[in-house]
Amino acid sequence: MIAQDRLTDALYGLGWGAVKKLPEPVAVRLGRTIADLAWKQRGKGVQRLESNYARVVPDATPERLAELSRAGMRSYLRYWMESFRLPSWSKERIRGGFDAKDLHHLTEGLASGRGVVLALPHMANWDLAGAWVTTQLETPFTTVAERLKPETLYDRFVAYREGLGMEVLPHSGGTAFGTLARRLRDGGLVCLVAERDLSSSGVEVQFFGEATRIPAGPALLAQQTGALLLPVTLWYDDSPVMRGRVHPPVEVPGTGTRAEKTSVMAQALADAFASGIADHPEDWHMLQRLWLKDLDPGKGPS
């Protein structure tokens, strides 16, 4: 595994070192070519992507699901090509690379001084959205990153995101929640990718008609700090500009236990994610198991 870890780290290093030097049209074509090759090979990731899309578009024919998975792989590789190139983008390119609808939910929340939690699914390019926030809105924020193996690869991702103006905390270790809460109590901004539970403390929700778990963190942070909780969804169109929407706030229920409030808020968050994913399924990059039925190791592709 050590040799494989070194190879993985080297490949990512090559991506950040070489792809960012390519002219943008060349990088776009390269990403599409790699996506199409991966799609034709029908590996486990592509099969899982297609299986997930079948939940999102339940009436889709096999032909439609194949079209969606091909578009999904192209969207996924667009994310990687952009991410490899983001460190070399000018501030003007970053500012012009994203267009957000209903941004007033965020700007008014920040102006209120109460702190804001942005929660989003794995759609389009969340790193570009983050770079836009730090550049266009000139607002730093704190996020959490899953610890990757090898450790050198995790370090690359942390350095990459910190270079875009983000404060990055490790997902493991137990101290992230307290730090996030302090940032919010100081009126700061926290951004969390939040439709896939990476812990044993997720909240069960209904997502496209089936049960899954999403992280409790966004709802708990909003409850404990008084911060505004805003769902965000992202998508691509045929232009070089990524699109996005800041959804209305997820309110803290006025009554109930903490667990009951968290459950209601988590479901509202999942519903907002589902609305954005249903509109743009090909830009949802979920190549892993998500629903509880699929987490049974005896069922389906991995």
Side-chain angles (χ1 to χ4, degrees):
M1 288 299 293
I2 293 177
Q4 183 178 341
D5 287 348
R6 286 176 177 169
L7 176 60
T8 300
D9 182 49
L11 289 172
Y12 278 99
L14 178 65
W16 269 299
V19 173
K20 70 180 180 181
K21 297 177 183 178
L22 296 175
E24 189 158 341
V26 176
V28 170
R29 288 196 298 272
L30 176 62
R32 180 162 290 200
T33 299
I34 295 171
D36 288 348
L37 287 172
W39 178 76
K40 288 176 182 177
Q41 290 176 354
R42 300 286 302 169
K44 290 183 178 181
V46 173
Q47 292 179 54
R48 175 53 55 192
L49 183 67
E50 215 163 274
S51 174
N52 289 338
Y53 286 160
R55 262 61 172 252
V56 178
V57 191
D59 59 347
T61 64
E63 293 77 14
R64 173 60 177 149
L65 287 176
E67 291 174 0
L68 273 176
S69 65
R70 184 178 189 181
M73 290 303 296
R74 288 182 171 185
S75 176
Y76 185 49
L77 264 294
R78 176 173 171 176
Y79 158 73
W80 279 112
M81 291 297 115
E82 287 180 349
S83 294
F84 286 144
R85 294 172 53 76
L86 261 176
S88 66
W89 281 15
S90 67
K91 290 184 177 180
E92 291 71 24
R93 177 69 179 87
I94 292 172
R95 290 189 184 108
F98 180 48
D99 175 54
K101 296 181 179 180
D102 299 325
L103 187 63
H104 64 94
H105 292 305
L106 173 57
T107 55
E108 290 170 4
L110 291 171
S112 73
R114 63 184 288 194
V116 176
V117 180
L118 293 180
L120 59 159
H122 290 80
M123 292 188 76
N125 191 337
W126 46 96
D127 287 327
L128 172 55
W132 186 87
V133 167
T134 61
T135 304
Q136 176 66 22
L137 301 185
E138 298 182 339
T139 301
F141 66 87
T142 305
T143 189
V144 174
E146 178 184 0
R147 279 205 174 277
L148 303 170
K149 290 185 179 181
E151 191 73 16
T152 50
L153 179 57
Y154 171 77
D155 292 340
R156 284 187 190 274
F157 272 96
V158 170
Y160 157 64
R161 290 182 170 132
E162 288 180 342
L164 298 176
M166 312 175 193
E167 178 187 22
V168 183
L169 307 176
H171 183 270
S172 59
T175 62
F177 189 91
T179 303
L180 295 174
R182 286 194 295 274
R183 299 292 182 269
L184 292 169
R185 290 191 181 102
D186 290 339
L189 177 63
V190 165
C191 299
L192 301 171
V193 181
E195 95 280 28
R196 181 168 175 250
D197 181 44
L198 295 174
S199 71
S200 58
S201 59
V203 182
E204 186 169 320
V205 296
Q206 288 294 307
F207 196 54
F208 292 102
E210 291 189 36
T212 187
R213 292 189 183 94
I214 69 171
L220 289 173
L221 285 166
Q223 289 179 60
Q224 293 191 20
T225 67
L228 198 66
L229 175 55
L230 298 175
V232 176
T233 52
L234 308 171
W235 66 92
Y236 292 126
D237 57 18
D238 293 331
S239 78
V241 179
M242 183 177 70
R243 313 295 174 177
R245 180 188 175 199
V246 182
H247 294 252
V250 172
E251 302 292 347
V252 178
T255 59
T257 65
R258 184 173 73 167
E260 289 169 343
K261 292 178 180 179
T262 301
S263 178
V264 171
M265 295 174 72
Q267 186 62 61
L269 202 59
D271 291 344
F273 292 165
S275 70
I277 292 168
D279 287 341
H280 306 279
E282 67 278 5
D283 293 315
W284 185 42
H285 307 153
M286 185 52 61
L287 281 72
Q288 298 85 21
R289 298 175 186 269
L290 183 74
W291 280 274
L292 299 187
K293 283 184 180 179
D294 295 337
L295 293 174
D296 181 342
K299 296 180 180 179
S302 61

